[in-house]
Amino acid sequence: MPEARIVWRGFALNKRTVAMVQAAEKQYRSKFKIMQGSYNKGGVEASAGTHDGCGAVDIAVAKLAPAQRRAVVLALRQVGFAAWLRTPAQGRWPYHVHAIACGDKDLSRGAAIQVAEYRRRRNGLANRGKDDGPTGCHGMTWELYLKAHPAPVPVAVPDSTISLGAMSYARTHDVMTGVWGADRARVVAWAAHPKVGAITKAETIPPAGVPWHLHFQRVLRKVQVKFKLPETGSFTEGVAAVMKRYGYKITA
């Protein structure tokens, strides 16, 4: 099924092509200036129908130095485009980079032929000349690029909320039940916080034979001693103030 068509930076493209362009821009370390998108049937005669379907995009490079133009071509090829630098000597057009997304399911016939020519190391023009662009990427597709560059797994953000009610309950109960049952993980996570753990020697779990609520009081006393607070074994306002400095949000 073809990708959804969208308008991006004023040009019609599909989501896959946009993602590929964005990845290429990261490789190039700068944004491209798009001069023609996809779904532009009959829009530019010199394009010979290659932009009639999706997966086609032209990048303006007339104002760039030769090395920069080549870098744009390379960046596009690295993410799975069949891309070439087009010059005024080749046709009635300004310097630009013509790119076709390899593997797109809705390419025009002309664009699909250009991808095949790219695989054969040719220039994608009617003269079927030799490809004069950067080598080493002719077998690349967007899917292969993604496989080689998986998205980073987001780091889980620990729950930084402390419920005063849950802390009070934990001080006198060995099991978090009832309304505070869902807060047990928060209480344990608090005791395991790196800065709290550094004070308590990471004593998240009570030693054998020590009730959980007494262990919880012991942890609180260590925190209170560290910050010269009254040793009550309770989660007092003083302890709450310290935890706020650690980035915790205090709730009722």
Side-chain angles (χ1 to χ4, degrees), residues 16-213:
R16 181 176 184 268
T17 304
V18 170
M20 292 174 69
V21 171
Q22 290 175 321
E25 288 177 332
K26 288 183 179 179
Q27 295 282 351
Y28 182 65
R29 298 185 179 181
S30 184
K31 284 188 176 182
F32 299 145
K33 181 180 179 181
I34 298 174
M35 58 185 292
Q36 185 180 184
S38 304
Y39 310 105
N40 193 28
K41 189 172 184 178
V44 179
E45 183 179 352
S47 295
T50 56
H51 288 259
D52 288 1
C54 65
V57 61
D58 284 350
I59 309 298
V61 296
K63 295 182 179 180
L64 300 183
Q68 292 174 307
R69 294 168 184 165
R70 186 174 179 84
V72 171
V73 175
L74 176 60
L76 289 163
R77 289 187 173 193
Q78 286 175 327
V79 303
F81 280 103
W84 300 272
L85 174 65
R86 298 305 192 214
T87 72
Q90 295 172 323
R92 298 176 61 183
W93 49 58
Y95 279 103
H96 68 282
V97 174
H98 175 65
I100 304 294
C102 299
D104 196 296
K105 297 179 180 179
D106 199 24
L107 297 177
S108 69
R109 182 174 180 275
I113 290 173
Q114 285 191 325
V115 170
E117 289 290 88
Y118 175 69
R119 300 289 194 218
R120 298 185 184 105
R121 312 297 197 271
R122 298 190 181 279
N123 63 10
L125 295 172
N127 63 14
R128 301 195 68 202
K130 183 179 179 181
D131 179 24
D132 59 359
T135 60
C137 303
H138 291 86
M140 182 59 67
T141 65
W142 176 234
E143 288 68 31
L144 288 174
Y145 176 82
L146 289 178
K147 187 175 181 179
H149 302 81
V153 178
V155 178
V157 178
D159 190 339
S160 58
T161 301
I162 293 178
S163 165
L164 294 178
M167 290 297 192
S168 177
Y169 188 89
R171 183 178 180 274
T172 56
H173 294 78
D174 292 328
V175 180
M176 302 289 281
T177 61
V179 69
W180 304 116
D183 286 271
R184 183 182 186 283
R186 286 179 174 175
V187 174
V188 174
W190 169 78
H193 187 286
K195 291 186 177 180
V196 175
I199 298 169
T200 65
K201 308 303 180 185
E203 294 177 352
T204 308
I205 306 300
V210 177
W212 207 95
H213 75 281

